[in-house]
Amino acid sequence: MAGSRVQINKAHKTRFASKASRQIHRTSQKDKSRIAKPDVHSMGKGARAARLQRNKMVREQKRATLLKEKRATSASTSSPRVIVLFGLSASVNVNLLVRDLLMLLSPEGTGSTSTTVASPTYKLRTTVLEAPHGDMASCMAMAKVADLIAFVASASSLCEGSEPNSYVDSFGSRCLSVFRSLGLPSTAVLIRDLPEDQRRKSDLKKMCSSTLASEFPEDCKFYPADTKEELHKFMWLFREQRLSVPHWRTHRPYLMAQQVDLVADDENPGKGTLLLTGYVRARCLSVNQLIHVSGAGDFELSKIDILKDPFPIKERKGHDLMDSDESHDVQMQIIRTLVPDPLKKEPLLIENIPDPLAGEQTWPTEAEMAEADEINKTKTLKKKVLPRGTSEYQAAWIVEDTDDDSDEDHSDGMILDEGQNDSSGHKENTFSDFDEDQASLSLSMRDFDGETEADTAMTDGENLTREQIEVEIRKIKDAHAEDEEFPDEVDTPLDVPARKRFAKYRGLKSFRTSSWDPKESLPPDYARIFAFDNFARTQKHVLVKALEMDQGSTDECVPTGTYVRLHIQQVPLDVASKFLTLSRTLPVLACGLLHHESKMSVLHFSIKKHDSYDAPIKSKETLVFHVGFRQFIARPVFSSDSLNSEKHKMERFLHAGRFSIASVYAPISFPPLPLIALKNGHGEATSPAIAAVGSLRSIDPDRIILKKIILTGYPQRVSKLKATVRFMFHNPEDVRWFKPVEVWTKCGRRGRIKEPVGTHGAMKCLFNSVVQQHDTVCMSLYKRAYPKWPDQLIPILDA
């Protein structure tokens, strides 16, 4: 009976309840299963659960990526791992260590006749290379393709002329700095010549490790490498190690040639087909891609032969000589041949062919004519005052920012730009940046005009001969040599007028804010280069296209780890013969080019002079640039990196201890890429020296580089704010020509030229503060500088 009764609870009182709480209980039958009131803790729990789920997905993606990389590098179809053994000093016997490693990796009963070995014991294919000590070019080429650089140190002897407990000689130290600039792959240190006594062996190993620890990355491991058991332990750890390579090597496919051949071309005399045989690494290689042979330039592929792998990993119990001979014969068996598609093939376009009619004047449109009429109306309001016999175009180069017009009484010089007269009605020139009052400045000018006749006499300098003037200038230069702080100073020639000698220069009111058209008066070499409307967008599009090609079909692409033979066509015979000679000691490298990377443009590198190079590096000097896998000859122009300005000051020399920007004409390359600049020696037997290191910054033909010169003069007579300056110019016509350009002094005064005095180039100047007698008056002039076009781009011909 009790179960039949229904319990009825008392209804909630809603008199003092809020509107939100009442709304909670007004739920429909459909929504009764849901929670009526949101819980703050449950919301936090939901966000935490979502965050944990997202982190779990990220971990799973990273784990899958690592597994994919490990399978790609350690699978039987992957390309052999490259171990480069580099001796830190000349006393290390690296050749013996190479033989020990090859004997350890070779199958039992077979000899190591090649540097590449397929080891069934370790289930690993390895290429062991010995970096020749003293050959910088070979060491750099091997470091570019190395998966592991094993630095070999000797514990028994120290380097000659080095500090105690030092195991690195001068060449080893120089190579270490170059390897760091290229980007170090995975590294290890093998310690040789350790004693047999365990206690002494442990002490020497600790001493060597503590001495060399600062030279290598933190994750670098130190291994003893004297006995077979120690090498066996090193190889097992190397097999399980996840190798890291520089980021720039992952963007393009590359190949280290194990065999180099040449086939003459009967149709094209003087050219042939270069055959490079090796494994494709990093990315898939398309037969429609352009190929760059390091040191020789860019070429097209006629075909790609996919060959049978000569070093398969097979676990066999018995081996004999017949098996080794058969494996050598199957090396040249062709499995498949890829031929380029004429519709998809990348054209080999290096320089732009300029059209001589491209600069022809065309008939203007109505919009352009209307715009010109408006400009002419504004120009009629204020006419320029030009010197006699000077056209408006000749006056345009010196037009810049000033605030006021020149005096009407002295209207025979150039003015920087048009401005508005002062409201007070004074016709004298004033400087808005000056701190002095306008009235005091006008009064000083009236006093200065009153002394004109007395100053015009110039009895001290009128009758000087040319030799006396040169002696006088030399004395003043020598007197100010200790306080020389302006390296841009130049002397005005005595036999050539300054307006002709410096006709290409112009004055700037402000180096940072004054405008300069980047398309103005470009040299003829700019008609041969290419430019991007938006370089960042183009680079992103090219990298996405390369990734799609890497994941595409195998009809036109060769997968990574495939053993191939590249047929590179139209190679000059002299270049190919050089490769046949150098391939015995120097690794021959080839890499696939991305879209647009064969075209010439203006590249800008962030560059720093190497610490070991003492000779001066002059601007526009011939250097050999190693940019990633590419090599080319360039003549860079150096400039500073102005972060707050679109204009950059040219530097005549590459200064040590700081970075500069090197601008060159070179084939387009997409960053990031490292730079190693080499300077060839004067003698034939002299090897190239490491001159500078850096990285690729940008590709921009519109980057404005200005060469600055400073003309100097010296006060002869000083009267408060005014001074008579001599030896800046040598005739009054030059003074009138450069009259609109502002002058300044080394003590911080600013002023302008008032008028010429006499017939020997002296001039009256007005300054914003009192001028000292020992001060130096300067005038800054600028012109745009461009790099030099190299005579040739192929550095291997100079090797």
Side-chain angles (χ1 to χ4, degrees):
M1 297 298 293
S4 61
R5 298 180 62 182
V6 179
Q7 180 178 356
I8 300 176
N9 296 326
K10 186 177 180 180
H12 291 282
K13 295 182 180 180
T14 59
R15 177 181 177 185
F16 301 103
S18 63
K19 184 177 180 181
S21 61
R22 291 197 305 267
Q23 188 67 24
I24 293 174
H25 298 283
R26 297 176 184 176
T27 56
S28 61
Q29 296 293 334
K30 181 179 178 181
D31 298 334
K32 281 185 178 181
S33 59
R34 297 191 303 176
I35 300 176
K37 188 174 181 180
D39 190 4
V40 178
H41 299 286
S42 64
M43 292 177 62
K45 292 179 180 178
R48 181 174 179 271
R51 186 172 64 254
L52 293 177
Q53 181 68 19
R54 183 172 61 253
N55 295 339
K56 182 180 178 182
M57 291 176 59
V58 171
R59 286 196 303 270
E60 291 178 353
Q61 291 176 359
K62 290 183 177 180
R63 187 179 296 110
T65 303
L66 291 177
L67 288 175
K68 183 179 178 181
E69 291 180 0
K70 186 175 181 180
R71 290 167 184 166
T73 55
S74 61
S76 59
T77 58
S78 61
S79 56
R81 293 187 175 186
V82 180
I83 301 178
V84 176
L85 300 178
F86 177 78
L88 293 175
S89 64
S91 61
V92 180
N93 191 355
V94 183
N95 191 13
L96 183 59
L97 179 59
V98 171
R99 288 205 306 265
D100 294 343
L101 277 178
L102 291 178
M103 288 297 296
L104 179 66
L105 294 172
S106 300
E108 297 179 2
T110 61
S112 57
T113 58
S114 174
T115 57
T116 302
V117 180
S119 176
T121 305
Y122 302 97
K123 297 181 181 180
L124 185 69
R125 297 190 297 178
T126 310
T127 300
V128 182
L129 300 178
E130 175 188 357
H133 197 84
D135 189 355
M136 180 62 71
S138 299
C139 293
M140 286 177 53
M142 292 181 183
K144 292 177 183 179
V145 297
D147 296 318
L148 174 74
I149 300 182
F151 297 95
V152 186
S154 177
S156 61
S157 61
L158 298 177
C159 304
E160 297 180 0
S162 59
E163 299 179 357
N165 300 330
S166 177
Y167 301 91
V168 187
D169 60 2
S170 60
F171 180 78
S173 177
R174 193 159 60 250
C175 282
L176 276 175
S177 63
V178 172
F179 294 164
R180 295 190 197 100
S181 301
L182 287 173
L184 279 174
S186 299
T187 57
V189 178
L190 303 180
I191 305 175
R192 300 276 288 182
D193 304 328
L194 290 171
E196 296 182 359
D197 185 19
Q198 292 295 330
R199 183 173 182 179
R200 191 181 175 195
K201 180 178 180 179
S202 178
D203 293 341
L204 281 178
K205 181 186 174 184
K206 290 181 180 179
M207 184 184 300
C208 183
S209 302
S210 60
T211 304
L212 297 176
S214 60
E215 300 288 341
F216 303 102
E218 296 181 356
D219 57 348
C220 182
K221 301 294 182 63
F222 292 80
Y223 303 95
D226 286 321
T227 63
K228 183 177 180 180
E229 290 75 13
E230 293 170 346
L231 292 177
H232 177 72
K233 180 181 178 181
F234 164 71
M235 287 306 304
W236 271 113
L237 295 175
F238 170 67
R239 179 184 178 275
E240 299 297 331
Q241 183 179 1
R242 177 178 175 263
L243 300 179
S244 60
V245 296
H247 182 61
W248 62 270
R249 277 168 50 178
T250 61
H251 290 308
R252 300 164 185 83
Y254 66 94
L255 178 140
M256 182 180 64
Q258 297 183 349
Q259 185 176 350
V260 181
D261 298 308
L262 176 63
V263 178
D265 193 354
D266 298 334
E267 298 180 357
N268 297 323
K271 294 186 178 181
T273 301
L274 186 66
L275 305 181
L276 301 182
T277 307
Y279 289 93
V280 177
R281 303 173 185 270
R283 288 207 170 188
C284 296
L285 176 63
S286 174
V287 71
N288 297 318
Q289 272 184 287
L290 295 177
I291 201 79
H292 174 81
V293 182
S294 186
D298 304 335
F299 303 97
E300 294 179 338
L301 291 172
S302 60
K303 62 179 180 178
I304 298 179
D305 293 333
I306 300 179
L307 307 178
K308 188 173 182 179
D309 199 334
F311 304 103
I313 299 178
K314 294 182 180 180
E315 297 184 8
R316 295 180 293 179
K317 296 182 180 180
H319 301 278
D320 52 9
L321 294 177
M322 294 297 295
D323 294 338
S324 61
D325 294 339
E326 290 177 1
S327 64
H328 180 73
D329 293 337
V330 300
Q331 181 177 353
M332 295 303 159
Q333 292 183 3
I334 299 176
I335 300 177
R336 190 157 57 97
T337 301
L338 302 181
V339 181
D341 187 359
L343 300 179
K344 299 180 181 180
K345 189 175 182 180
E346 182 80 13
L348 182 59
L349 187 60
I350 299 177
E351 296 181 14
N352 183 32
I353 302 176
D355 186 5
L357 300 179
E360 185 179 358
Q361 181 66 38
T362 56
W363 190 258
T365 61
E366 295 181 358
E368 293 174 346
M369 295 179 66
E371 183 180 358
D373 292 339
E374 293 179 359
I375 295 175
N376 291 333
K377 289 180 181 179
T378 57
K379 284 185 177 181
T380 54
L381 298 177
K382 198 70 177 180
K383 291 186 178 181
K384 292 184 180 180
V385 183
L386 301 175
R388 300 185 185 94
T390 304
S391 63
E392 293 186 2
Y393 177 77
Q394 291 174 333
W397 65 269
I398 202 168
V399 173
E400 274 302 327
D401 299 328
T402 56
D403 299 321
D404 301 287
D405 294 329
S406 299
D407 292 7
E408 292 182 1
D409 297 336
H410 307 282
S411 60
D412 54 349
M414 290 188 178
I415 60 174
L416 295 183
D417 63 357
E418 292 78 16
Q420 303 232 345
N421 289 334
D422 194 272
S423 58
S424 61
H426 294 289
K427 294 185 179 181
E428 289 83 6
N429 282 358
T430 58
F431 292 83
S432 61
D433 297 334
F434 291 174
D435 299 329
E436 282 75 17
D437 186 71
Q438 178 71 26
S440 62
L441 181 60
S442 303
L443 181 61
S444 300
M445 290 180 61
R446 292 194 195 98
D447 298 338
F448 188 60
D449 293 339
E451 297 177 0
T452 301
E453 296 181 359
D455 293 341
T456 307
M458 290 211 40
T459 56
D460 297 336
E462 281 291 335
N463 300 323
L464 294 179
T465 62
R466 178 180 299 179
E467 290 77 8
Q468 292 174 342
I469 293 176
E470 292 178 353
V471 171
E472 190 76 15
I473 295 176
R474 191 178 300 109
K475 287 181 180 179
I476 299 176
K477 289 284 186 181
D478 295 339
H480 291 77
E482 296 180 358
D483 298 329
E484 185 68 46
E485 298 177 357
F486 300 92
D488 302 317
E489 292 184 5
V490 297
D491 294 330
T492 305
L494 296 174
D495 53 348
V496 180
R499 61 185 182 277
K500 294 182 179 180
R501 171 62 181 86
F502 307 116
K504 295 183 179 180
Y505 290 85
R506 67 179 66 176
L508 292 179
K509 178 70 175 179
S510 172
F511 183 84
R512 185 179 65 87
T513 60
S514 297
S515 61
W516 194 298
D517 187 5
K519 306 295 185 182
E520 175 188 358
S521 302
L522 296 177
D525 291 335
Y526 262 54
R528 305 163 63 182
I529 66 173
F530 296 85
F532 297 103
D533 293 334
N534 190 329
F535 175 73
R537 181 178 59 190
T538 304
Q539 181 181 5
K540 182 178 179 181
H541 175 72
V542 167
L543 294 180
V544 169
K545 185 178 178 181
L547 183 60
E548 293 176 354
M549 184 180 63
D550 191 37
Q551 300 173 353
S553 62
T554 59
D555 295 337
E556 62 180 25
C557 296
V558 179
T560 306
T562 309
Y563 193 71
V564 297
R565 183 196 293 121
L566 305 181
H567 294 254
I568 305 173
Q569 61 182 1
Q570 301 293 327
V571 180
L573 291 179
D574 53 350
V575 175
S577 60
K578 279 273 189 179
F579 271 114
L580 292 177
T581 305
L582 296 176
S583 61
R584 303 168 187 170
T585 58
L586 184 71
V588 178
L589 307 180
C591 73
L593 298 179
L594 301 177
H595 192 45
H596 303 303
E597 282 198 332
S598 65
K599 303 172 183 177
M600 297 289 291
S601 187
V602 181
L603 277 64
H604 307 285
F605 295 88
S606 178
I607 192 171
K608 181 181 179 182
K609 191 175 181 180
H610 199 260
D611 297 335
S612 62
Y613 195 79
D614 299 330
I617 304 176
K618 193 176 181 180
S619 188
K620 300 181 183 179
E621 192 172 359
T622 302
L623 299 174
V624 180
F625 275 34
H626 289 246
V627 183
F629 292 110
R630 304 192 76 150
Q631 297 181 29
F632 53 85
I633 297 177
R635 301 179 63 184
V637 57
F638 304 117
S639 61
S640 60
D641 190 11
S642 302
L643 299 179
N644 58 349
S645 175
E646 296 180 353
K647 296 175 288 296
H648 310 272
K649 182 179 175 296
M650 174 187 167
E651 297 176 349
R652 290 181 173 87
F653 293 90
L654 182 61
H655 301 285
R658 60 184 178 89
F659 280 92
S660 298
I661 302 297
S663 304
V664 299
Y665 290 116
I668 292 172
S669 298
F670 293 101
L673 283 173
L675 166 67
I676 305 294
L678 303 182
K679 177 63 179 174
N680 291 326
H682 298 288
E684 295 181 357
T686 306
S687 60
I690 304 296
V693 296
S695 61
L696 178 60
R697 172 71 68 87
S698 63
I699 302 174
D700 184 14
D702 293 338
R703 189 177 191 271
I704 300 175
I705 302 173
L706 298 183
K707 180 180 179 181
K708 178 182 178 181
I709 62 171
I710 298 177
L711 305 182
T712 56
Y714 306 97
Q716 183 184 17
R717 294 183 180 180
V718 176
S719 175
K720 295 183 179 179
L721 303 182
K722 45 198 177 298
T724 302
V725 181
R726 60 176 178 171
F727 299 147
M728 181 178 289
F729 304 108
H730 303 295
N731 56 76
E733 289 78 10
D734 290 340
V735 176
R736 297 187 184 96
W737 180 268
F738 290 97
K739 182 180 178 181
V741 184
E742 186 181 84
V743 295
W744 52 276
T745 69
K746 292 185 178 181
C747 292
R749 310 295 186 263
R750 294 179 60 194
R752 61 178 180 85
I753 300 174
K754 180 66 177 176
E755 62 180 358
V757 178
T759 60
H760 282 65
M763 56 187 182
K764 291 188 297 184
C765 298
L766 180 65
F767 295 92
N768 64 337
S769 184
V770 179
V771 180
Q772 303 295 327
Q773 185 69 44
H774 60 81
D775 206 348
T776 303
V777 181
C778 304
M779 176 184 291
S780 300
L781 299 176
Y782 303 89
K783 77 169 182 179
R784 189 172 177 183
Y786 303 91
K788 283 287 186 180
W789 195 277
D791 299 331
Q792 63 174 1
L793 291 173
I794 304 175
I796 195 174
L797 296 178
D798 297 334

